[in-house]
Amino acid sequence: MRVAIVHDWLYVVGGAERVLEQLLRIYPDADVFALFDFLPEADRARIGYAKARTSFLQKMPFARTRHRVYLPLMPIAIEQFDLSAYDLIVSSSYAVAKGVLTGPDQLHVSYVHSPMRYAWDLQHTYLRESGCDTGLKGVLARVVLHRMRLWDVRTASGPNAIAANSAFVARRIRKVYGRTAEVIHPPITLSSQHYDGPRGNHFLVASRLVPYKNVEAVVRAFALLPDLQLVVAGSGPDAARLREIAGPNVSFVGFVSDEGLRQLMATARAFIFAAEEDFGIIVVEASAEGTPVLALGRGGARETVQVRGPQRSGMFFDRPEPEPIADCVRGFIQQEQNFTREACRAQADLFSAELFRKRFSRFVDEQMALHRAACEPRTRVLPRLEAVG
């Protein structure tokens, strides 16, 4: 069986690329297709492929740094991939990958990280943050996004089956595409060595410093908690402004390595997560280090943070605003002794890479069996015609 894996694009290693890595563990001989691939060879080797087959966007000017300007061309580009030689096509899609063209005898399974959020429920936020919400530029951007929505809905019927990375995304798929999706949570790389030393005095936020991550609300919350320490890890366009509004109890460490981040997580009193994410891999990574999570009670966090029972791994606040966050921190401190490293790690174990591979393999096998049964020729017995006259 020849397998093709179609990924939107490759220029940084994030959560979607970790899914690609596990898909290549399942199908090591698969060919990888992407609109463009600018990953260094070391990252490609880590993910598990030598070279992706790319589209004409690979050679477009500034594609490496300003690929979003080519958004109107992406539907055309993804449709140019010739996949006719493959029996199974797996698309890993958060933009356009699910729109590849396949035939009736091919099985196409799409793992949808999310419908294009900047074209759907985050359109207004995207336009505002990109400076395209007013004037002629705003009109053109809205026209482009409208056409992307039409294309996105039309191509939603292409995959034979769809898997979603969370129940939250599955609900969005149902609303936008009118299709039912199997929930298969993305893979988390769990540490083989556990830190069981003493905790530090700090609470931790780790994120790209952009508005929708709501780091500002956390920083302002700690102005209401002057006796507590907050560490902010990450970089981004909001970094300078956040430093200006931060109090003396907030420290910024900038970008840190994976190893450094895990050490910050393992020694934190709690990890604070104020964004509404489709899944939120970093939440589970914090739990894997044995650290409780204080999270906004929306989106994927409701599936990854256990707030009740013996496997309790965190608490929720209901709004990404300073006062509710500060109240949540105060409530956590009163119950801090009830949170154990063992319970947090047990919660993280539910999202291991091994479980992802088992669930996804089983899902594809089930869909392949249904597909082959549907493709089998059926012999139809025609009624015998009696001679007339």
Side-chain angles (χ1 to χ4, degrees):
M1 183 173 66
R2 294 198 61 188
V3 180
I5 300 176
V6 185
H7 196 75
D8 285 304
W9 50 72
L10 294 156
Y11 75 104
V12 294
V13 177
E17 287 67 40
R18 297 183 192 185
V19 170
L20 175 61
E21 177 184 353
Q22 297 305 318
L23 292 177
L24 285 167
R25 292 278 299 275
I26 301 171
Y27 308 107
D29 296 324
D31 293 326
V32 176
F33 292 78
L35 292 179
F36 50 84
D37 180 4
F38 296 118
L39 286 180
E41 287 189 11
D43 285 339
R44 293 176 185 172
R46 191 175 82 180
I47 292 172
Y49 74 100
K51 186 177 181 180
R53 305 187 185 194
T54 57
S55 73
F56 62 83
L57 295 181
Q58 178 78 22
K59 299 180 180 179
M60 298 295 280
F62 309 110
R64 182 189 295 267
T65 57
R66 301 189 63 189
H67 62 271
R68 291 194 184 277
V69 302
Y70 295 111
L71 183 65
L73 297 178
M74 289 181 182
I76 298 173
I78 205 73
E79 291 174 349
Q80 302 313 304
F81 287 136
D82 182 4
L83 304 176
S84 58
Y86 298 91
D87 306 294
L88 170 64
I89 294 91
V90 177
S91 59
S92 171
S93 182
Y94 50 88
V96 297
K98 71 168 178 50
V100 290
L101 304 180
T102 59
D105 292 332
Q106 297 173 293
L107 178 65
H108 176 190
V109 175
S110 186
Y111 187 83
V112 176
H113 304 272
S114 177
M116 293 182 286
R117 295 198 66 181
Y118 46 84
W120 292 99
D121 50 321
L122 285 187
Q123 172 186 279
H124 303 294
T125 301
Y126 169 73
L127 292 174
R128 185 168 54 253
E129 292 181 0
S130 61
C132 296
D133 54 334
T134 59
L136 180 59
K137 185 187 293 187
V139 172
L140 293 175
R142 284 176 169 82
V143 170
V144 169
L145 293 176
H146 174 71
R147 294 178 66 86
M148 291 297 294
R149 283 192 292 273
L150 295 176
W151 180 88
D152 196 31
V153 171
R154 180 181 65 78
T155 58
S157 61
N160 297 74
I162 296 177
N165 68 356
S166 66
F168 179 60
V169 169
R171 292 196 298 272
R172 186 182 292 125
I173 289 170
R174 181 69 179 176
K175 184 170 186 177
V176 172
Y177 299 152
R179 295 199 59 178
T180 300
E182 179 86 1
V183 176
I184 303 176
H185 293 117
I188 306 299
T189 302
L190 304 177
S191 176
S192 58
Q193 296 182 338
H194 295 315
Y195 173 82
D196 289 311
R199 296 195 185 276
N201 293 321
H202 67 278
F203 290 78
L204 176 66
V205 170
S207 168
R208 180 161 167 75
L209 303 183
V210 293
Y212 83 93
K213 295 290 188 178
N214 296 326
V215 177
E216 179 179 345
V218 182
V219 170
R220 291 190 182 278
F222 273 75
L224 306 175
L225 304 165
D227 296 330
L228 300 177
Q229 300 296 315
L230 175 68
V231 173
V232 179
S235 59
D238 273 6
R241 186 175 61 83
L242 291 172
R243 289 176 186 270
E244 289 179 0
I245 66 173
N249 61 331
V250 179
S251 58
F252 292 80
V253 296
F255 174 81
V256 294
S257 66
D258 289 346
E259 182 179 352
L261 179 58
R262 288 185 178 273
Q263 182 66 17
L264 283 172
M265 287 177 173
T267 55
R269 295 176 69 175
F271 181 81
I272 304 178
F273 187 77
E276 181 179 329
E277 294 281 16
D278 299 325
F279 179 76
I281 286 177
I282 198 167
V283 168
V284 184
E285 289 177 336
S287 296
E289 297 302 324
T291 299
V293 176
L294 311 182
L296 176 65
R298 303 177 191 170
R302 295 190 65 84
E303 302 168 50
T304 57
V305 179
Q306 180 58 254
V307 297
R308 297 182 181 87
Q311 202 163 294
R312 190 181 185 198
S313 65
M315 298 173 64
F316 290 140
F317 46 90
D318 60 358
R319 300 189 312 281
E321 299 171 5
E323 291 80 5
I325 295 172
D327 287 342
C328 185
V329 173
R330 295 186 188 103
F332 166 76
I333 291 173
Q334 293 176 355
Q335 307 173 49
E336 191 169 2
Q337 70 280 0
N338 297 328
F339 292 90
T340 67
R341 290 190 183 275
E342 291 74 20
C344 293
R345 288 169 182 155
Q347 177 67 9
D349 287 343
L350 301 176
F351 305 94
S352 69
E354 181 181 3
L355 280 177
F356 170 83
R357 293 194 300 270
K358 288 180 179 178
R359 291 166 180 165
F360 192 84
S361 297
R362 182 170 62 244
F363 180 61
V364 172
D365 289 346
E366 291 169 353
Q367 296 302 319
M368 182 61 76
L370 293 172
H371 178 67
R372 286 173 173 167
C375 290
E376 288 180 358
R378 289 175 172 79
T379 303
R380 182 180 178 187
V381 179
L382 297 175
R384 180 178 179 181
L385 298 177
E386 298 293 339
V388 178

